[in-house]
Amino acid sequence: MHLLDWAVVAAYIAWLVSDGIKRTKLDRTTESYFLANRSMPWWAVGLSVMATQLSAITLVGTTGQGYSDGLRFVQFYYGLPLAMIILCMTLVPFFYRAKVYTAYEYLERRFDLKTRAFTSFLFLLSRGMSCGAIAAAPAVVLSVILGWSVTLTALLILVPAVIYTMLGGVQAVTWTDVKTMGLTIVVLIIAMVFLVTGLPSGVGVDDALTIAGGTGRLRAFNFDFTLTETYTFWSGMLGGLFLMLSYFGCDQSQVQRYLTAKSVDDGRTSLLMSAYWKIPLQVLVLLVGIFTFLFYLFHQPPLLFNPIHDARIRSSAAAPEYSGLEREFETAFQARRQAAVAIAASRDAGNVREQARATDAFSEHDARVRSVRARAASLVKKTTGDASYNDVNYVFPTWIITALPVGIVGLWIAAIVTAATDSIAAELNSLSTASVIDFYKRLVRPEASDEHYLLVSKMTTGFWGLFAAVVAVYASSLGSLIEVVNRFGSFFYGSILGVFMLAILTRRTTGTGAFVGLFAGMISVAAVAFGRPDISFLWHNVIGAVVVFTVGLTLSLGKQSSDRFRPAA
Amino acid sequence: MPQESTRNWSVTYIAVIGVEILSLLALWWLQNHYRV
């Protein structure tokens, strides 16, 4: 990377940290540290909600998904707008009326302490681990592409987040989210401009989209009703709806964003910003991936986008086999390129017959390219032992550093690094809130001064930052553990939603009913996940929520209706 | 700080659904217009 790009990355991160530290002066109470005195403007909160969800994995992994599968992934978000409306009508006003700091605090008011403590504990466990994973995943990719050390890259992502979150609290988190969300949109648009202008002469956007359409990459709807396919219209509409309800309504890392808004109306408006913009934004990210695919139709890419694996294979016993694959790849690539140019030329000439012939030729050569790539990937797995290797994650970062001009590369790397930093900051902030409010203040020292709690909150943020750093640094050796925790997380995500549904939709459910229901939901999801691993994870949330609701309600039959159904205004 | 809503949200919710339908229609058009 050029020195100027380094300077851009360093300057941007320094700006975020110094701006965050400036906000230390504003944090004199725990309410300002955790909730910004409930004074943030709706647009800043809305951008913060979006930025928390958009991590570096979105920028690297989702563009990779666009490159390989096209728009298919957007179906995941089809249930989001409806989820936001449901939350605005139900949980958001409940949280505001109850004046809670954490979503789980509300569960004690409605049910009992054990339900609150257990749901909050589940949140701490899963988010604590995922915080490290959010830093480690992009660090692995960036370290390969930029030649940095994985540990240093992970720390470059984590350390700024820990500093400005620990000192500046939620205000620092929100305002850095605003800046990074703005930067992300700018760099996505810049990438799109470079990708479109990078098409060869004679191939217009219309021609390019025709080629992409021919490969199935513009398919945004799959109406097959199947539980095993992850991304379909139905899994997105129903499974996605439950997942988004759980994520935005019951996960402290998101709930805390909109609890900082000035009023219940501002809280609603900030959530609805995602409802309006999430699908178009996700389409933009996926289109950038699709146009990266189109770019590499006309500009020869490497056989492997991971340069470290490429070098290792070249110096291994598999080198002759790899050279053979490279020659095969070169031939298939040139033939596919000619077919792509022929599609554009025949299309522009209005020659339908020739276009059909060129399209058939394109499909044939594209299949050859994919076959050679698949064989190269198997060679990587055999030679390096990296069984989970996925070349797609390295495609877009490779394009960034090879196709963009100096300065813009720095902006993009800054956007990727700080997208991860942002998400981590929001999580550290919410982990600290849940630790202090749900456990320390509630169970350990209920009667201390606000200064004491503020100090403990800052120390807790630092502790979770340290915890995330350890997880991130040892991520490779903790690989299977992180996977287990993530899997465990997916078991209770829908189940926690079920508890909140019992809280707001029923009057009769008791604390014990909800608590036992939560376990029943988690066990059911675990049974489905292990018994039928082919069922897509999006359906786990539906199963969990429905089982908790049914069991919780059944166990509470015949009980008196609760006078704690609605929090006092 | 008002804890209760001071506006009617029905129109906004209808607008959100309307924008989603428009987004899906645009994607539907993109999928079918460029299908070979």
Side-chain angles (χ1 to χ4, degrees), chain A residues 249-417:
Chain A
C250 316
D251 189 311
Q252 180 65 16
S253 66
Q254 278 295 358
V255 171
Q256 194 163 353
R257 304 303 111 228
Y258 56 83
L259 286 181
T260 61
K262 282 178 186 165
S263 64
V264 65
D265 281 347
D266 276 16
R268 282 175 168 145
T269 313
S270 64
L271 267 188
L272 291 180
M273 218 166 133
S274 286
Y276 285 120
W277 290 106
K278 188 65 194 178
I279 292 176
L281 180 68
Q282 212 60 38
V283 170
L284 176 63
V285 176
L286 290 169
L287 277 175
V288 166
I290 292 171
F291 273 85
T292 309
F293 164 76
L294 293 163
F295 178 88
Y296 283 126
L297 280 185
F298 302 104
H299 304 81
Q300 173 133 22
L303 176 54
L304 286 177
F305 281 95
N306 181 325
I308 290 184
H309 283 343
D310 179 82
R312 275 185 75 179
I313 294 184
R314 280 180 201 287
S315 60
S316 74
E321 192 184 343
Y322 189 63
S323 299
L325 284 176
E326 277 192 309
R327 283 192 294 278
E328 214 181 312
F329 180 68
E330 159 86 28
T331 313
F333 166 79
Q334 291 299 348
R336 186 181 68 170
R337 183 182 190 283
Q338 281 173 11
V341 171
I343 291 175
S346 55
R347 196 174 169 277
D348 294 344
N351 187 339
V352 179
R353 206 173 192 178
E354 179 54 27
Q355 190 185 335
R357 197 196 62 74
T359 304
D360 288 344
F362 180 90
S363 300
E364 186 192 321
H365 299 308
D366 189 44
R368 275 175 61 206
V369 168
R370 278 188 278 122
S371 152
V372 180
R373 274 196 184 287
R375 277 182 281 156
S378 316
L379 208 56
V380 169
K381 288 172 189 171
K382 210 163 66 183
T383 312
T384 65
D386 183 357
S388 62
Y389 177 64
N390 188 359
D391 202 46
V392 162
N393 287 337
Y394 298 89
V395 175
F396 190 63
T398 301
W399 178 81
I400 289 172
I401 60 158
T402 54
L404 287 175
V406 173
I408 305 289
V409 174
L411 275 185
W412 250 107
I413 301 299
I416 293 175
V417 168

Side-chain angles (χ1 to χ4, degrees), chain A residues 38 78 81 85 88-89 96-97 206 209-210 213 218-221 223 262-265 268-269 272 276, chain B residues 1-7 9 12-13 15-17 19-20 23-24 27-28 30-31 33-36:
Chain A
R38 303 178 202 261
Y78 286 170
I85 292 175
C88 285
M89 293 168 78
Y96 274 86
R97 276 190 217 119
D206 218 28
L209 286 172
T210 303
L218 297 183
R219 191 175 179 203
F221 295 91
F223 288 111
K262 282 178 186 165
S263 64
V264 65
D265 281 347
R268 282 175 168 145
T269 313
L272 291 180
Y276 285 120
Chain B
M1 279 190 297
Q3 297 303 320
E4 293 299 325
S5 178
T6 53
R7 57 184 264 207
W9 282 87
T12 311
Y13 297 149
V16 170
I17 299 289
V19 169
E20 175 168 26
S23 303
L24 297 190
L27 285 169
W28 181 253
L30 196 66
Q31 171 178 303
H33 185 73
Y34 292 105
R35 190 165 58 186
V36 178

Side-chain angles (χ1 to χ4, degrees), chain A residues 123-133 427 431 464 467-468 471:
Chain A
F123 165 75
L124 291 179
L125 181 69
S126 67
R127 283 293 161 195
M129 292 298 271
S130 79
C131 226
E427 298 206 349
L431 284 165
W464 282 113
F467 182 83
V471 173

Side-chain angles (χ1 to χ4, degrees), chain A residues 149-165:
Chain A
S149 118
V150 182
T151 307
L152 268 181
T153 317
L155 292 178
L156 178 75
I157 292 168
L158 262 166
V159 172
V162 177
I163 295 173
Y164 72 71
T165 311

